[in-house]
Amino acid sequence: MLVVLVMLALATGIVAPRAAGWLDAARERGWRDDLRAYLEVLPVRTFIAGEPLMLEAKDLLAAVPGAPAQTEIRLPAPLRYDALGVATGGTVELRRGEAREVWRIEPVTGRVHDGG
């Protein structure tokens, strides 16, 4: 019985850190998906509101709560949408440590594409 308990403790010690890392990665992916969805609906939101919108990097971080620690958003220029929901286009860069992801906001439609 002692051998079984020791083996169970060893298995738990090996699996637990990997499971924690997997959960953190899943949370980060979920947050990135939420941010992307937020960006995708901005043209519709501005059209419905009938008011133009200009977003800075800090506005994007605040718009979607739950950003992973040390996540940084960089925008070469603010994202702009006019009152008719037309986007001027732009680039969104997500950084977390060494990891970097770039999204391109399509002019006019505001669709989000991978790559810069």
Side-chain angles (χ1 to χ4, degrees), residues 10-22:
L10 285 172
T12 302
I14 292 170
V15 171
R18 290 183 183 178
W22 179 81

Side-chain angles (χ1 to χ4, degrees), residues 27-95:
R27 281 189 199 105
E28 183 177 345
R29 277 191 312 274
W31 179 82
R32 281 194 332 258
D33 290 346
D34 289 348
L35 178 62
R36 189 179 187 122
Y38 175 78
L39 288 168
E40 290 275 353
V41 300
L42 281 176
V44 174
R45 286 186 178 190
T46 55
F47 177 76
I48 291 171
E51 296 179 8
L53 178 65
M54 181 181 83
L55 291 170
E56 300 279 350
K58 62 180 173 44
D59 301 323
L60 286 178
L61 265 178
V64 181
Q70 300 160 352
T71 297
E72 183 182 354
I73 295 178
R74 294 182 182 178
L75 302 175
L79 299 178
R80 297 177 192 272
Y81 301 85
D82 71 13
L84 295 176
V86 176
T88 58
T91 303
V92 176
E93 181 181 348
L94 299 172
R95 287 181 171 245

